[in-house]
Amino acid sequence: MTGVFILCALATLLCLVSCCEKETHYLKNDKCCKMCGPGKRMLVDDNCEDPRCQDCPEGEYQSGYTSKTMCERQPSCDTNLYFQPQINPSKTDLIKCVCEPGYYCTQNDDCDTCRKHTVCKPGQRVIKKGSADSDTVCEACKNGTFSTHDSADTCKEWTVCEYGYAKNAPANSTSDWTCLDGTPTLRVAIGVGVVVLLVIVGVAVYFYLKKNNGCIEWQKQARKRYMTKLDQDADAERATIPIPRQPEEDDDSTPVSPTLSNVTENGYPVQQEHGKESVRSHPESNSIF
């Protein structure tokens, strides 16, 4: 009989356990009792089959079925610590504190401290805006661009001044060029440059001509000295050449010494014939026969 009783008790217990749902019921004194649903807590447990449940008070929550008489507390989001105030917080879910705009949480899982977003300074731009759980990311403006205020989304390009107008100050990452209105300084500079260039060219031409004139004068003097020397050399050369004498006519009265050319084969001097006289020219007479 004892064995039968034990078997019956085990069967009853197994039936109770199998019939009692784990998520919505619990066992108490071999009874399958009900639990209170999410967002509620149990007041008393005298009647486990039909318990009296009550909503969780403000600032508390209950995420699932429970047989407890107290709810869980929600985290305290203190506005003095830059958290946003909680409006109608949930009684069934655990809330997460959210930082005010301009601040972000230092931890993703448990937001317990808010820090201020980094402010991008002039000369920088925002490449990633800050959120409730991440900081702002800044980047320096590239060469040729600038930004003048905090948290600039973009860097603007430097202004290109119109032709003929100058810039008043050098641009950088925080300031732009400012063109001087109505002041054609570039054209004035060009004009001055042209005048200076003309003056330089004029001076160069003057010295060039002066140098050439000096060279011409020097060449004239050198040529004159050269010609003078040639004349002197010619005179000296003429002075060394003997002056040829004119041959004198033979005088008949002067005896001619016998030479090989005026003697005969026998050694006698050659006598000039007197039978032939020189014929003199005379005008013809116009005689009439």
Side-chain angles (χ1 to χ4, degrees):
M1 293 294 295
T2 305
V4 175
F5 177 77
I6 294 173
L7 290 175
C8 291
L10 290 174
T12 303
L13 181 61
L14 290 174
C15 181
L16 290 174
V17 172
S18 61
C19 294
C20 190
E21 295 182 4
K22 293 182 179 180
E23 292 184 359
T24 60
H25 294 75
Y26 70 100
L27 287 175
K28 182 179 180 181
N29 298 326
D30 298 333
K31 292 182 179 180
C32 186
C33 301
K34 290 183 179 180
M35 294 188 294
C36 294
K40 298 182 180 293
R41 64 189 179 93
M42 191 174 292
L43 290 178
V44 291
D45 57 353
D46 55 343
N47 187 2
C48 71
E49 295 180 357
D50 187 17
R52 289 179 295 173
C53 299
Q54 186 180 30
D55 293 336
C56 292
E58 294 295 330
E60 296 182 2
Y61 76 101
Q62 181 60 52
S63 60
Y65 286 88
T66 184
S67 61
K68 296 179 180 180
T69 59
M70 295 184 64
C71 297
E72 301 290 337
R73 291 189 62 82
Q74 293 279 16
S76 176
C77 301
D78 192 352
T79 56
N80 294 324
L81 298 177
Y82 307 106
F83 287 108
Q84 293 185 11
Q86 297 297 326
I87 301 175
N88 297 325
S90 173
K91 293 185 179 183
T92 59
D93 296 314
L94 174 66
I95 65 172
K96 181 180 179 180
C97 294
V98 179
C99 297
E100 295 179 354
Y103 292 83
Y104 70 101
C105 289
T106 57
Q107 297 179 4
N108 294 329
D109 296 334
D110 186 11
C111 186
D112 57 358
T113 303
C114 290
R115 290 187 179 182
K116 191 174 183 179
H117 285 147
T118 299
V119 178
C120 298
K121 303 298 182 181
Q124 298 177 330
R125 72 181 184 95
V126 177
I127 60 174
K128 182 181 178 182
K129 292 185 177 181
S131 63
D133 54 3
S134 64
D135 193 12
T136 303
V137 180
C138 305
E139 181 185 54
C141 292
K142 297 180 180 180
N143 186 30
T145 62
F146 72 101
S147 64
T148 57
H149 59 276
D150 293 342
S151 301
D153 292 332
T154 59
C155 294
K156 298 180 181 179
E157 294 185 357
W158 290 344
T159 300
V160 178
C161 295
E162 295 181 0
Y163 178 78
Y165 292 87
K167 306 166 184 177
N168 68 334
N172 51 40
S173 62
T174 60
S175 62
D176 189 16
W177 290 112
T178 302
C179 302
L180 300 179
D181 250 354
T183 309
T185 54
L186 182 58
R187 287 178 291 196
V188 173
I190 292 175
V192 173
V194 171
V195 172
V196 172
L197 182 61
L198 291 176
V199 171
I200 293 174
V201 171
V203 171
V205 171
Y206 170 76
F207 282 106
Y208 176 77
L209 294 177
K210 185 176 180 181
K211 182 178 180 181
N212 285 350
N213 290 336
C215 291
I216 294 173
E217 187 66 25
W218 180 84
Q219 291 176 357
K220 288 182 180 179
Q221 295 294 334
R223 182 177 179 81
K224 184 176 181 181
R225 289 193 297 270
Y226 177 72
M227 296 303 296
T228 301
K229 188 174 185 306
L230 288 180
D231 293 340
Q232 292 176 354
D233 293 343
D235 292 341
E237 185 178 358
R238 284 195 295 269
T240 57
I241 299 176
I243 300 175
R245 297 181 179 179
Q246 297 293 333
E248 298 179 358
E249 295 182 358
D250 295 338
D251 190 0
D252 293 341
S253 59
T254 304
V256 178
S257 59
T259 62
L260 293 177
S261 61
N262 57 8
V263 294
T264 63
E265 295 179 356
N266 296 325
Y268 295 101
V270 178
Q271 297 293 330
Q272 184 177 3
E273 294 181 2
H274 296 283
K276 296 180 182 181
E277 296 181 356
S278 60
V279 181
R280 298 179 179 179
S281 63
H282 58 273
E284 296 179 358
S285 62
N286 299 326
S287 57
I288 299 174
F289 293 97

